[in-house]
Amino acid sequence: MQQSKYVLAGVLAALSLGASHAKETGVDQGSPADDVRLGPVAGLVAESAGKDTEYAVGYRYHYYDNFFEAPDGVSKTSVSAHEVYTGLVTPVGESGNWSVFGDLNYLDYNRDLDGSWSVTGGVQGKSGPHGTRIVARYRDDVPNAETGNGIRSADVYALHGTYSNRFSKAWQLNILGDFQRQVVEDSPNDKLYLGGAALRYRGWGSIFSPEVGFKYGERHSDSDNNEHDQWDMWLKVRSSPTPKLYLSSRVRYRKRDYDTSTLTDSNFHRDDDRWQFTAGADYKIDDTFSVDAYYAYQDADSSRKARTFETNAFTVGAKMRF
């Protein structure tokens, strides 16, 4: 597993993939969700409004090869899911520089797992070199292993904010903030706070746009066993080689150090290192129809051996705009 981490980083550094089908609003228009089980954010969240309100409906198929994050050497279970969604994006104000967006989606798994609803809404826009993006999201019955032992369902409330400054023609600085609350039966006030920054080079236009960034934060919980510090660092590249094709790829390193001082806690002296690689593509067939694909790989290493595992996931889908 140690070798695979360095191979992963090398592969991404060599890629000339990446980029964004978003319009030049001065704001990073979105990226695949960090949660591998959910794949990309649905609907029109990653798109800018034109002069008129735009609607979309879509479908995605998801496949996960180690859904329950079984550790190395233990039998793994594959899970598939079907997702349907609808969304809209509409301009606000006379300038046309601001828009509001929202979507609703449902994910249905093929095994004995509860389906998961998700509602997303937000606003984005720019004024000169300055840009703002605020996104709120609620998901119910999300299978996750962020707290406790094993996969459990959680209701997740999330808020993300970005301030961007295109301080030169070639460079853009993003200031990032994240809040997430997970509600599970034995830990109803599990909260994660993250803040950071990213530097993006845009001097080569839409052909190739690399970005490096970081976030740092803490998880606070009703249970000391779940509390930790967290570092995220990533390299992301975006590319739009043609007006119809949008590509993105990212490698992310995440480190967690758990805080509990209770000897009997399962996370006593626990520290985690996790590498994640994602790649996505979106192809616009015409003004109405588009198709997309997304892949994610995780290599998780932990001082707690039950949390050392690898996962793969992919999604394919189609969308109709009107």
Side-chain angles (χ1 to χ4, degrees):
M1 288 183 60
Q2 191 69 20
Q3 280 186 323
S4 65
K5 296 177 182 178
Y6 297 109
V7 171
L8 198 61
V11 167
L12 186 74
L15 283 174
S16 60
L17 265 173
S20 170
H21 61 285
K23 299 176 183 177
E24 296 292 326
T25 64
V27 182
D28 186 359
Q29 297 296 316
S31 60
D34 288 339
D35 188 342
V36 172
R37 290 186 192 81
L38 287 173
V41 175
L44 288 163
V45 168
E47 301 184 20
S48 301
K51 294 182 179 180
D52 301 311
T53 300
E54 187 171 322
Y55 302 89
V57 293
Y59 164 81
R60 285 193 181 103
Y61 171 79
H62 299 249
Y63 176 82
Y64 318 89
D65 78 332
N66 184 16
F67 186 86
F68 297 104
E69 299 179 353
D72 294 348
V74 176
S75 177
K76 298 173 175 57
T77 301
S78 299
V79 170
S80 62
H82 301 277
E83 175 190 6
V84 291
Y85 62 84
T86 183
L88 66 86
V89 57
T90 187
V92 292
E94 296 181 359
S95 68
N97 291 331
W98 290 83
S99 60
V100 295
F101 53 83
D103 67 43
L104 172 69
N105 78 316
Y106 180 72
L107 203 59
D108 182 45
Y109 300 95
N110 71 328
R111 292 186 175 270
D112 189 20
L113 295 165
D114 292 332
S116 178
W117 287 95
S118 173
V119 180
T120 303
V123 59
Q124 64 186 19
K126 69 170 185 176
S127 176
H130 307 284
T132 303
R133 178 178 172 84
I134 300 173
V135 183
R137 193 178 193 196
Y138 168 75
R139 296 174 288 175
D140 81 322
D141 290 328
V142 179
N144 81 94
E146 292 295 293
T147 61
N149 299 304
I151 300 292
R152 299 185 298 174
S153 291
D155 294 337
V156 180
Y157 303 82
L159 182 66
H160 171 76
T162 300
Y163 163 75
S164 67
N165 188 334
R166 188 81 172 265
F167 59 88
S168 75
K169 184 177 180 179
W171 293 98
Q172 177 176 309
L173 176 67
N174 293 334
I175 305 300
L176 311 168
D178 288 300
F179 168 78
Q180 185 180 103
R181 179 188 176 199
Q182 295 184 3
V183 180
V184 293
E185 184 176 351
D186 62 346
S187 187
N189 291 302
D190 191 273
K191 299 173 183 177
L192 178 65
Y193 303 86
L194 294 170
L199 185 63
R200 179 178 175 185
Y201 183 74
R202 307 184 72 164
W204 296 315
S206 62
I207 297 298
F208 183 77
S209 179
E211 173 187 297
V212 293
F214 79 93
K215 292 179 184 176
Y216 172 77
E218 298 178 345
R219 181 185 296 276
H220 300 281
S221 175
D222 291 328
S223 170
D224 291 344
N225 191 43
N226 294 328
E227 296 193 344
H228 59 73
D229 298 335
Q230 177 171 318
W231 278 98
D232 290 338
M233 291 167 279
W234 66 88
L235 167 65
K236 181 175 182 177
V237 288
R238 304 170 175 85
S239 177
S240 184
T242 72
K244 291 187 174 184
L245 180 63
Y246 331 106
L247 304 166
S248 66
S249 187
R250 184 191 67 180
V251 63
R252 184 185 73 156
Y253 171 72
R254 191 190 78 184
K255 182 172 181 59
R256 288 179 172 178
D257 293 313
Y258 285 76
D259 300 332
T260 180
S261 58
T262 304
L263 289 171
T264 54
D265 280 350
S266 59
N267 290 330
F268 178 69
H269 276 185
R270 174 182 168 184
D271 60 86
D272 292 356
D273 297 281
R274 182 175 298 191
W275 289 87
Q276 183 191 69
F277 168 77
T278 63
D282 189 310
Y283 181 73
K284 188 176 180 180
I285 298 171
D286 54 32
D287 289 339
T288 302
F289 297 99
S290 63
V291 293
D292 58 76
Y294 172 79
Y295 170 77
Y297 166 77
Q298 286 193 110
D299 183 354
D301 194 11
S302 176
S303 58
R304 184 178 169 189
K305 295 306 178 186
R307 299 302 297 148
T308 296
F309 59 89
E310 295 183 31
T311 65
N312 290 275
F314 73 84
T315 74
V316 291
K319 176 167 61 181
M320 181 177 71
R321 299 180 183 88
F322 54 94

